[in-house]
Amino acid sequence: ICGSSRFWTKTHCLGICQRSERIEFSRVFSDSLSAMSVEKRVDPDDGEAYTFEELSAFYKGKYKKSEIKAYWEDTCKPVKGKKGAKAKAKGKAKAEPKAKAKAEPKAKAKAKAKAKAEAKAESAPKALGKPATAGQSRSAKPVNVLALTKISKDDLGLLPQPAKPRFKTALVEIYIRDQPYGGADKSSNGHRYDSIPFANGMISAGMSCQLINYVHQEHDTFFEVVKAFDALIVRCN
């Protein structure tokens, strides 16, 4: 164009050339957009094919136009032949129930774990209370042992028995008739030195643990009474 007239200045020629370049760029860009509007590419997010307009309409407001265009060109793969494309909104609408279906088992599992934790908290022993003081006995219940002779003076240090024990147990101490306090293994109140710690361990686990004595003269009565217990711990030398 610049060579068509000797009267045109260099500035005029440069302006015309620049306008021609802009027109050419606009045409190429327009052709590119037109091709994108017809072309369908697969969105890897859901595996469906969409035109650029459909893709842009869905992601509008979520991403910049330049980001959507780059996603279309670099990530979305062209499809061969004609394939019926579904609207993006319809594809996402189908994905929502699927996501909801995935979320439901998680919610159920969470609720189940919460219920399990609550049940465990309920079954855990409550505040154990204060240990018995000198002269105080805590071995008369929950199983009725009044038919047995109580040899020990008290249950000093024994925790209160649970109101609703998981299991009813007893710690059996053997009374030796010809030994002071019932045997060399006994303290001054008639219990073995380790009996109270044993019983408190059972009580802390939610079980009752009564301290009773086996007396030879009460053999038959003893075995009749202990039938009501779930378990017995026998402590003797």
Side-chain angles (χ1 to χ4, degrees):
I1 296 174
C2 296
S4 64
S5 176
R6 62 179 180 176
F7 301 106
W8 285 37
T9 65
K10 184 177 181 180
T11 303
H12 290 150
C13 291
L14 182 60
I16 291 172
C17 289
Q18 288 176 339
R19 282 196 296 275
S20 297
E21 290 173 356
R22 285 198 296 269
I23 292 170
E24 179 63 17
F25 173 78
S26 177
R27 185 186 65 77
V28 171
F29 183 72
S30 177
D31 291 345
S32 176
L33 288 178
S34 178
M36 286 192 296
S37 65
V38 176
E39 183 184 8
K40 294 183 185 295
R41 295 195 175 201
V42 176
D43 184 353
D45 184 50
D46 60 4
E48 295 292 342
Y50 304 97
T51 64
F52 181 73
E53 283 80 0
E54 291 172 337
L55 197 76
S56 299
F58 178 76
Y59 288 118
K60 184 178 181 181
K62 297 179 182 179
Y63 303 99
K64 295 179 181 178
K65 291 181 179 180
S66 58
E67 292 174 334
I68 298 172
K69 188 172 182 296
Y71 180 70
W72 166 269
E73 293 177 347
D74 301 334
T75 305
C76 299
K77 303 297 181 183
V79 292
K80 294 180 180 180
K82 293 184 179 181
K83 184 179 180 181
K86 299 178 182 178
K88 188 70 179 178
K90 187 176 180 181
K92 291 297 177 183
K94 281 191 174 183
E96 284 178 3
K98 192 179 288 184
K100 186 178 179 183
K102 288 182 179 179
E104 283 178 356
K106 291 182 179 179
K108 287 181 179 178
K110 191 175 180 181
K112 189 176 180 180
K114 185 179 179 182
K116 189 176 181 180
E118 288 175 353
K120 188 175 181 181
E122 287 178 2
S123 63
K126 307 298 181 182
L128 299 176
K130 296 181 180 180
T133 58
Q136 188 175 10
S137 177
R138 284 182 171 163
S139 296
K141 58 182 182 179
V143 175
N144 186 350
V145 294
L146 294 178
L148 303 178
T149 301
K150 184 173 178 60
I151 303 300
S152 58
K153 296 178 180 178
D154 57 35
D155 292 334
L156 178 63
L158 186 65
L159 293 170
Q161 302 291 345
K164 295 180 179 179
R166 297 169 61 187
F167 298 101
K168 298 174 183 178
T169 70
L171 190 148
V172 182
E173 298 171 316
I174 309 301
Y175 179 71
I176 303 174
R177 290 165 285 186
D178 58 353
Q179 293 290 326
Y181 308 117
D185 58 339
K186 309 296 193 304
S187 63
S188 60
N189 69 348
H191 288 304
R192 281 178 58 97
Y193 295 98
D194 57 3
S195 292
I196 298 298
F198 265 98
N200 282 343
M202 304 291 282
I203 292 171
S204 297
M207 296 176 278
S208 63
C209 188
Q210 298 168 246
L211 303 178
I212 60 176
N213 292 98
Y214 171 78
V215 179
H216 297 78
Q217 295 89 334
E218 300 173 351
H219 179 85
D220 294 338
T221 303
F222 176 85
F223 280 99
E224 191 63 32
V225 170
V226 297
K227 287 179 181 178
F229 289 103
D230 296 310
L232 298 176
I233 302 173
V234 180
R235 302 292 296 150
C236 65
N237 285 342

